[in-house]
Amino acid sequence: MHRKMKPAALGVLAAGMAASLLGGCSGDNNNNNGAGAGPSAGASSSASASAGSSPSASDSKPIELTWGIHMQATAVVNDSPVQKWLEQKFNVKIKPVKVTDASIASGEVPDLFMLGDPSNVSAYQSQGVLMDLDKSMIQEKMPEYYKDVEQSDPLFQTVTFDDKLWAIPMYIDLKPYDFAMVWRKDWLDKVGITKTPETLDEYEKAVYAFANNDPDGNGKKDTYGLTGTATSTWSTGFYSIFGAYGVEPTMWQEKNGQIVNGSVAPEAKEALTKLRQWYKDGVIDPEFVTDTQDSYRKKLYNNRVGVIEDQISKAATDDGAVVAAMKEVNPNAKLELGLNPEGPGGRGTWDWGIKSNYIVLGTQVKKDPAKLEKIFEILRAESSDEETINMTSMGEKGKQWDFAEAGATSGATKYLSGFEKQEQLDAVGVRLFSLGNITTREYREKYSNPAINDAVRKYSSAPNWTDALLYSALPSDGKYKSDLTALTQKYFAQFISGEVPLDDFDKYVAEWNAKGGEQLTKEANELYEKQFKK
């Protein structure tokens, strides 16, 4: 049953977009090794015919199409090779545009664009700029993709408002951006720990040894076990430690049939108690309050901390981003992936779940049947036609990319010289017109990296650790959510550092409830009952 939901206010948009980008799900179709936001790209396929693409030599007048370029692209590139390729293949004339709050507010609504989060969809829908859809339309026009995405049917509920569907959801299975532990294996060896820690007790033993036993061998007490971050827009840091107590701050979780927020759950206080003790004992870097994911990676490379949380794909292979960066800074160091520590509440960390991004259409498209038909022709190809997916996501084989293994016809890929950086790919239109995780499972299996897939299966805590509402927008999110996240980050940093006594946790919970948490909890339970409860 669809819930009649009041759309969230526009104010939630920026936070929602930031959250989606920080989670790493902004456009990776699969688990390849390549830089940038696209999937591996393969050779052209005859699938274009089955995907419904039109002949390039069509005599009909091209349909004009305004296309919102990929959300992470910094600038519009007009008349790029990829744009011209799309125009010829589909007999369209594309006007690429950058989508911003300001452009939408001014009435410049693209015919086709991508949004990162249900809150973004809700915010734009509330302005009346989106076209409503229905599942039968998607099933008819994109049958290959629909067969796969319907297996994740709750995703449709995340963008159903006023009994109507407002976006085509993307999904992701094996998620290379899931978090796991990245250990300085050479430090573990130096302090005499031969087994990579798997439990919270083993983790604690290791981080104390890193802080106290001079793992870098410089004769100084200048190392810490770990650091965190209180600077994200979506949570509090130390995700795996909270997860060991069965909770994730700011996430909606189901507990005994009720939806509760991890920020105010009793288990959060237990985790804070542990973190506070570690901080007092000099195990946590005192700069954790201002550290970011980027800065704590550098601290791992530069012998300041011995373990961080990071995306599995970044440390699963020799050319993963974290491994490669470590080799540049500290070539004699060794890194090793590890499981998130198991504690009294289980094993887990923050997880974005099956949700990826969303495809939306401007409301004006509803009045133009020919344009609507053409958009779905393109969408079908972007989801199931190798030729189209490959060109928009990676470019030309042998020019921008190739398979990592010589002679391979599937699996991991690599960017070629001159196209290692995303801005180099953007300049020729690669990624600008990619629609990310809208590809079929068949395509993903063919072009994914087996080594990363295996690492995700081994180290990820998913699918059990994700938001019970799949990060759906609540009616009052725009009014309260960002302020409550900031309140939680402030208090948790103070609890950990000892600035505020842990006895004030109940005071914090009362303040959280009074400043909108109680209302959001009510709305979260209503939404869960009507749309998500099995």
Side-chain angles (χ1 to χ4, degrees):
M1 184 173 88
H2 292 168
R3 180 190 182 216
K4 231 176 190 179
M5 187 195 303
K6 178 183 176 184
L10 180 60
V12 77
L13 179 72
M17 183 69 80
S20 69
L21 297 182
L22 282 168
C25 58
S26 57
D28 288 333
N29 284 348
N30 54 30
N31 305 331
N32 70 19
N33 275 354
S40 306
S44 297
S45 155
S46 60
S48 59
S50 64
S53 60
S54 59
S56 60
S58 173
D59 294 329
S60 60
K61 181 180 179 181
I63 289 178
E64 295 182 1
L65 184 63
T66 307
W67 190 313
I69 62 171
H70 195 283
M71 63 181 74
Q72 285 188 319
T74 56
V76 173
V77 179
N78 286 294
D79 297 322
S80 66
V82 173
Q83 178 183 333
K84 291 178 179 178
W85 185 91
L86 286 166
E87 289 175 335
Q88 181 179 10
K89 182 177 178 69
F90 295 102
N91 193 31
V92 293
K93 179 60 180 174
I94 296 173
K95 178 184 178 182
V97 297
K98 182 69 176 170
V99 182
T100 65
D101 292 355
S103 66
I104 294 294
S106 69
E108 297 175 359
V109 182
D111 297 318
L112 167 69
F113 58 112
M114 184 163 59
L115 293 173
D117 209 65
S119 59
N120 309 134
V121 178
S122 178
Y124 283 168
Q125 184 266 341
S126 70
Q127 297 181 69
V129 302
L130 302 183
M131 173 183 166
D132 62 284
L133 307 164
D134 62 65
K135 291 168 69 174
S136 63
M137 179 189 300
I138 301 170
Q139 183 176 20
E140 176 189 352
K141 304 295 185 182
M142 304 171 65
E144 299 88 356
Y145 178 69
Y146 184 82
K147 181 182 69 174
D148 289 343
V149 75
E150 70 174 337
Q151 298 177 41
S152 304
D153 188 69
L155 286 174
F156 288 98
Q157 300 299 326
T158 65
V159 284
T160 296
F161 320 124
D162 298 333
D163 294 329
K164 293 180 180 179
L165 180 68
W166 297 95
I168 301 171
M170 302 181 195
Y171 70 93
I172 189 162
D173 298 307
L174 290 168
K175 302 183 294 299
Y177 52 78
D178 277 351
F179 284 159
M181 310 316 301
V182 182
W183 291 93
R184 283 289 300 268
K185 177 65 168 60
D186 53 321
W187 278 24
L188 289 172
D189 293 342
K190 183 68 181 295
V191 299
I193 296 176
T194 58
K195 175 192 173 189
T196 305
E198 295 183 6
T199 68
L200 188 61
D201 287 343
E202 291 170 348
Y203 181 102
E204 182 175 66
K205 180 181 178 182
V207 293
Y208 269 79
F210 291 163
N212 297 322
N213 296 353
D214 191 25
D216 61 350
N218 68 354
K220 301 177 182 178
K221 192 174 181 356
D222 57 358
T223 56
Y224 297 91
L226 71 157
T227 187
T229 174
T231 62
S232 79
T233 60
W234 45 279
S235 194
T236 61
F238 299 109
Y239 313 115
S240 64
I241 307 305
F242 283 102
Y245 287 88
V247 70
E248 284 299 333
T250 76
M251 187 183 286
W252 294 109
Q253 297 178 273
E254 188 272 328
K255 300 280 187 181
N256 300 317
Q258 294 293 309
I259 299 301
V260 298
N261 195 283
S263 300
V264 291
E267 295 88 347
K269 184 178 181 181
E270 296 177 28
L272 289 167
T273 302
K274 175 66 73 175
L275 290 166
R276 183 186 181 95
Q277 185 63 51
W278 289 356
Y279 183 90
K280 181 181 178 181
D281 292 344
V283 173
I284 294 177
D285 189 330
E287 294 177 357
F288 83 90
V289 176
T290 56
D291 272 338
T292 64
Q293 285 182 324
D294 183 56
S295 67
Y296 70 52
R297 288 185 189 113
K298 291 177 180 176
K299 289 184 174 183
L300 184 77
Y301 309 151
N302 289 298
N303 296 330
R304 187 172 172 100
V305 300
V307 63
I308 62 171
E309 284 185 285
D310 214 327
Q311 297 175 25
I312 293 171
S313 63
K314 293 182 182 294
T317 59
D318 288 342
D319 57 352
V322 167
V323 177
M326 173 60 88
K327 288 179 180 177
E328 288 185 10
V329 175
N330 203 335
N332 295 321
K334 296 179 181 179
L335 296 181
E336 184 173 65
L337 277 171
L339 294 168
N340 296 299
E342 184 173 13
R347 171 185 284 123
T349 187
W350 185 279
D351 177 44
W352 291 102
I354 58 174
K355 178 192 75 66
S356 185
N357 301 319
Y358 296 85
I359 299 295
V360 293
L361 307 184
T363 187
Q364 69 276 5
V365 176
K366 196 171 187 177
K367 302 175 183 178
D368 192 333
K371 180 177 288 188
L372 179 61
E373 188 70 21
K374 181 61 69 174
I375 287 174
F376 270 105
E377 179 185 330
I378 294 171
L379 289 175
R380 185 178 183 184
E382 286 256 14
S383 65
S384 60
D385 173 29
E386 287 184 55
E387 182 182 46
T388 303
I389 301 167
N390 298 339
M391 179 59 75
T392 57
S393 299
M394 290 290 281
E396 295 184 49
K397 184 177 183 293
K399 190 171 184 179
Q400 279 90 32
W401 72 277
D402 208 335
F403 287 105
E405 184 178 340
T409 57
S410 64
T413 63
K414 62 181 180 181
Y415 290 115
L416 300 180
S417 177
F419 296 97
E420 299 95 336
K421 297 180 179 180
Q422 188 59 58
E423 55 265 30
Q424 295 169 318
L425 294 166
D426 284 353
V428 295
V430 172
R431 180 178 74 161
L432 299 188
F433 303 96
S434 169
L435 296 179
N437 293 307
I438 203 167
T439 56
T440 61
R441 283 188 169 88
E442 181 181 6
Y443 180 89
R444 299 179 196 202
E445 289 171 5
K446 181 175 181 179
Y447 290 105
S448 63
N449 184 332
I452 294 179
N453 289 346
D454 290 345
V456 173
R457 291 187 184 100
K458 182 175 181 179
Y459 296 107
S460 172
S461 300
N464 298 324
W465 290 82
T466 192
D467 190 272
L469 308 178
L470 297 180
Y471 305 96
S472 296
L474 297 174
S476 300
D477 269 352
K479 187 176 182 181
Y480 301 122
K481 185 177 179 180
S482 62
D483 288 343
L484 288 175
T485 299
L487 180 74
T488 297
Q489 290 174 326
K490 181 192 76 171
Y491 264 105
F492 280 26
Q494 292 174 334
F495 286 139
I496 293 169
S497 67
E499 184 178 343
V500 172
L502 275 171
D503 288 344
D504 280 1
F505 188 80
D506 290 342
K507 175 185 174 183
Y508 150 71
V509 171
E511 188 174 346
W512 187 90
N513 281 313
K515 290 186 174 180
E518 184 175 9
Q519 177 63 27
L520 291 186
T521 302
K522 177 176 178 294
E523 294 172 1
N525 276 277
E526 291 173 351
L527 180 59
Y528 181 74
E529 287 288 331
K530 294 179 180 180
Q531 292 189 197
F532 290 98
K533 190 173 184 179
K534 296 179 181 179

